[in-house]
Amino acid sequence: FKQLACSWKYILSTFIMGLGVALINYFISSDLISLIVGVISGVAIYIFMLVVLKDEEFFITLNKIKGKLKKNG
């Protein structure tokens, strides 16, 4: 139960992402376009949900990525 309590944001984000992708793909008839749009919208919805839920781990990871990009750029 402790693990579920710690990961509820990820479970909720994944559930909403799945619903969003399913809803978007419902209106697309082409398999290739459905795959491309599904992947892009899935990533966008998942990141959006983590930002909305203010997930601390997401922001820590994002700051690490920004730091690495600044070193290389």
Side-chain angles (χ1 to χ4, degrees):
F1 288 108
K2 287 181 182 181
Q3 286 181 331
L4 286 176
C6 290
S7 59
W8 71 270
K9 291 179 184 180
Y10 306 108
I11 294 169
L12 179 63
S13 297
T14 302
F15 180 73
I16 292 175
M17 177 196 65
L19 286 176
V21 170
L23 182 63
I24 290 169
N25 284 338
Y26 178 77
F27 297 104
I28 300 173
S29 59
S30 170
D31 290 337
L32 180 61
I33 294 173
S34 177
L35 178 64
I36 294 168
V37 171
V39 168
I40 293 170
S41 63
V43 170
I45 292 169
Y46 189 76
I47 290 173
F48 175 75
M49 287 303 302
L50 291 179
V51 170
V52 167
L53 295 172
K54 297 179 175 132
D55 181 59
E56 187 177 332
E57 296 296 325
F58 172 73
F59 288 110
I60 290 170
T61 304
L62 191 61
N63 286 331
K64 286 182 180 180
I65 292 170
K66 285 181 183 178
K68 296 238 184 221
L69 289 176
K70 284 184 181 179
K71 283 184 181 178
N72 294 335

